[in-house]
Amino acid sequence: MSTTRPSATPAFGQADLSNCEREQIQHAGSIQPHGALLLVRKADGIVVQTSANASDFLNLHRNAIGCTIAELGGDLAKHVLPLLTSSSPNDVSMIRCKAGRDAADFDVLAHSPSGGGLLIELERAAPAVDLSKPTETALRSIVASSSLRGLCEQTASIFKSLTGYDRVMVYRFDEDGHGEVFSERKESHLEAFLGNRYPASDIPQIARRLYERTRVRVLVDVEYQPIPLVPRICPLSGQELDMSLCFLRSMSPIHIQYLKNMGVGATLVASLVVGGKLWGLVACHHYVPRNIPFECRAACELLVEAVAIRIAALESVAQAQAEISVRRLEQRMIEAIAQDGDWRAALFDNSQALLQPVGATGGALLFEGQVLTAGEVPGTQQLREIAKWLDGRPRQTVTAFSSLGQEDDRFSPLVSVASGLLAAPVSNTPGEYLLWFRPELVRMLTWGGDPSKPVIIGDNPSDLSPRRSFAKWHQLVEGKCESWSPSDITVARLIGETVSDVVVQFRSVRMLIARDQLENITYQVQTSDVPVVVADPRGRILMKNSQFDAYLPKGSPPPEQLESLAEYFVEAGEARRRLRELVDFRRTWRGEITMRNAAGETISILVRGDPVFSSPDRVLGIVLLFTDITDRKTVEAAGRDFQHHVIKSHRVPGINLDTKADLVYQRLYSSVIENAQLAVLEITDGADKSRMVRMLASVRASVDRTTEVLDRLIRRTLRGTELK
């Protein structure tokens, strides 16, 4: 008896749960039976591949293969022929037209697949439905949502009302890919799934990528019999037809079995894509077969884009609020240096200012052999051991652990106060860190089935299916804190960088106060990641570190006076004036200025220049810190470009509807643009600049997609009027 090793990339329908992550679901080779599929060669408009039901679906007397588009009847050719030359990959066209021997009404989706040709999907047209008013109301409520929880609750209610499915869930993914039912609306007799968690393996990576490409997917009946493609291999490419964007594409048998095990009869799933990544899903379940009209699906796509934009905005608002608290903390430390000659007390005089922005229950600063703490923390010796352990790990701006004891057994006894750790180095000196702690969170997680038993094998070894029991399964989690969120980590990085800057300034001050410690302090400043220049009271440069030297043109003589730095700035006159005021009048310099770096590139610099006083009438010297804010300026420019793009590209179109309909569609356009513009303002005000360009691009793509869908709805309304 021989055995066959399962394929590394199993074909559609040939996967089991050991390799379903790699099942080629985009090569389904079949469709759901409530529609028909045609692949047309662009060169001559001849049908070369169809679903097996195409001829019957169109009530033709002959095989659809070999027909020209014109021979398929109705006015299909009038609408489709222009797409043979204009359709681009990923560009899906929505059409209502007549086709077939009886010239019946059909809803049509058309796009150009990767293997060539034009792929046409047809569904029998349902009576036209005007969803403009509920869609406008929904958009207004989405824009008005001021919290993530409230937005998701509103979204579940909107989709339940709009689609009529028995159950609607907003499903959110965590950093490990596991999903949680974050909000839910359901019929009263159904069991609640709210709060249930499902393992990442329930949604394979290939499926997640397709969710990112196609925002709305519908399964009409889990008991459907797939309609195969004829021929199976695409004549244009010689390969399986790429059905990634096909609305009618058959779903994986494993996914179908999964739904049957849950007792689900039909589904609609809409993707929430935030910042270019799959944030979550709006999952609609019905317990008998259900299809919904074309207009409703288009409205779902429009609304899910609006929700994704709002999520991006709300997450950015939270970041911005946290950044404000960080800046206040920085200001208190700077004032403390000026008044008391030290900054550490300011960091700990209000423990909540240090702990609350990252949701920590304890914090500690290890600096120059001293330990300062706030809240619940391990003992001093244990803190030193943690710092020494961190020294032996790769250096990062922030190190985060949810289960410190799992990383090193020595720290397991600390679980009650320090199961979770965030660590940010405050200098390049070993053992100097800012630490935050969280205790273990002993909690019972509710899973929709035992996540450790995803497969049940029956008497037949090939009888593999997903979990057959979806009874709630409870898991006791110990030794682990509540996971640090990406926002927590970003804020910790900001605080760490701020303290690191203050450390550089503080040590620069002490260098001026204690010249006998010059060699040691110089090392501290020279190895800092922050560009710094230190001068005496007359402006003679005493020291500059290598980070600042990297800004200077190669081969240029080293500057000796602060005023000579002006020539390196684009606005040399303004820089010279500010440097003179700093030296002559002891006037602090805070501002943005541009300079050309060693590579000749123009970069934006934030300057912080301060005179250092030993007493009200005696100045020891001057410290200047420089921060490259080019990325931030790029983000701000991207925001302005986005606003210009919105104004230029998305003006309310002129439409020939009656006055009442015209006003409704103008309000819909206004709601879409208002949501996007609000999101951009909130995103560009956030803290994580490295993420903002991607977030703005995602919002811009969502606006383009949303307004395109709205345009289609308007044209659909116009077309529906013509067909009456």
Side-chain angles (χ1 to χ4, degrees), residues 10 24 42 104 132 201 224 263 319 368 374 423 695:
Q24 301 301 293
K42 287 190 173 184
S132 58
S201 58
Y224 79 96
Q319 290 278 112
E368 295 185 342
M695 296 289 283

Side-chain angles (χ1 to χ4, degrees), residues 281-444:
L281 302 170
V282 180
C284 307
H285 288 180
H286 212 61
Y287 291 87
V288 294
R290 181 173 182 78
N291 197 4
I292 62 173
F294 172 89
E295 290 90 349
C296 188
R297 300 198 306 260
C300 287
E301 183 172 351
L302 184 151
L303 291 172
V304 82
E305 293 290 349
V307 173
I309 289 173
R310 192 70 196 132
I311 290 172
L314 289 172
E315 290 185 343
S316 296
V317 166
Q319 290 278 112
Q321 291 173 339
E323 183 180 18
I324 291 172
S325 66
V326 172
R327 296 308 167 218
R328 288 173 178 165
L329 186 62
E330 176 186 27
Q331 186 60 36
R332 285 200 298 273
M333 288 188 289
I334 292 172
E335 290 173 355
I337 290 177
Q339 295 173 6
D340 305 323
D342 202 350
W343 52 274
R344 286 164 285 193
L347 188 62
F348 286 88
D349 63 358
N350 179 2
S351 62
Q352 286 308 303
L354 177 64
L355 304 181
Q356 190 272 336
V358 298
T361 54
L365 173 69
L366 288 82
F367 181 72
E368 295 185 342
Q370 296 183 353
V371 177
L372 293 177
T373 64
E376 297 293 324
V377 299
T380 299
Q381 186 56 39
Q382 294 162 327
L383 290 171
R384 296 188 192 280
E385 289 179 5
I386 291 173
K388 185 176 180 181
W389 176 72
L390 289 168
D391 286 338
R393 298 180 62 85
R395 181 182 173 87
Q396 296 179 324
T397 55
V398 175
T399 303
F401 301 106
S402 295
S403 181
L404 186 58
Q406 290 183 9
E407 301 295 328
D408 193 309
D409 291 339
R410 290 178 298 166
F411 305 128
S412 295
L414 307 180
V415 67
S416 62
V417 293
S419 177
L421 168 68
L422 278 180
V426 297
S427 76
N428 291 332
T429 301
E432 296 193 339
Y433 293 94
L434 188 56
L435 308 176
W436 292 270
F437 299 100
R438 281 179 181 171
E440 80 173 324
L441 179 61
V442 179
R443 61 198 187 278
M444 194 73 72

Side-chain angles (χ1 to χ4, degrees), residues 20-23 25 200-209 211 254:
C20 66
E21 275 285 319
R22 299 178 297 278
E23 182 182 13
I25 56 178
S201 58
D202 279 6
I203 305 178
Q205 288 301 318
I206 288 179
R208 292 174 190 255
R209 290 194 292 271
Y211 278 134
I254 289 180

Side-chain angles (χ1 to χ4, degrees), residues 455-477:
V455 179
I456 297 176
I457 303 179
D459 295 333
N460 182 345
S462 65
D463 181 20
L464 293 171
S465 71
R467 292 184 303 277
R468 288 182 176 150
S469 172
F470 280 83
K472 290 185 177 181
W473 189 87
H474 301 287
Q475 177 189 21
L476 181 66
V477 177

Side-chain angles (χ1 to χ4, degrees), residues 24 32 41 81 102 144-145 157 164 208 240 282 301 312 375 406 485 487 530 595 615 649 674 685 710:
Q24 301 301 293
Q32 300 177 52
R41 187 165 52 216
L81 285 175
D102 301 326
S145 297
S157 296
R208 292 174 190 255
E240 295 272 3
V282 180
E301 183 172 351
Q406 290 183 9
S485 70
S487 176
V530 179
M595 68 182 301
S615 62
S649 304
E674 177 187 348
D685 197 33
L710 192 52

